[in-house]
Amino acid sequence: MSRRRIKIGDIFAIPLPDGKYAFGRVMEDAQLAVYQGKYESIQDFDKTRKYSFIVGVYRNVLTDGKWLVID
C-alpha cells in the first residue's frame, strides 16, 4: 500500500474488532481526537458529534493504509 501525506483535520475511519467503526480527527502534535460513538458503517458517521477523548498516535499508524481517510 502506498503511504499518504497526513494533514491536520483529516478524519480517519478506525475499524474495530466488533466490525464497527470509530472515527478520529488529526490534531496538532501527533494527537488524534476520537469522536463519541461507534458506527455500523462509514456512511453512518456523524462528524457533528463531540470528541470523546484525545490520544497521541505514531505517524506510521496513520500512514500505513489500514485506517481509511474519509474527509
Side-chain angles (χ1 to χ4, degrees):
M1 286 184 185
S2 65
R3 296 169 82 80
R4 73 177 301 281
R5 185 177 195 103
I6 302 304
K7 299 181 307 259
I8 293 173
D10 284 348
I11 298 176
F12 283 83
I14 305 164
L16 301 174
D18 64 1
K20 295 182 180 182
Y21 292 89
F23 293 86
R25 181 182 295 269
V26 176
M27 308 298 269
E28 292 183 2
D29 300 325
Q31 295 180 351
L32 188 72
V34 179
Y35 287 90
Q36 294 175 343
K38 296 191 315 185
Y39 297 85
E40 297 290 330
S41 72
I42 292 173
Q43 293 77 21
D44 293 338
F45 173 57
D46 175 9
K47 67 180 174 184
T48 64
R49 300 283 305 259
K50 293 183 179 185
Y51 301 125
S52 184
F53 56 91
I54 297 175
V55 299
V57 293
Y58 289 109
R59 181 162 294 283
N60 67 315
V61 171
L62 302 176
T63 60
D64 69 4
K66 292 180 183 174
W67 293 1
L68 296 175
V69 177
I70 62 158
D71 190 17

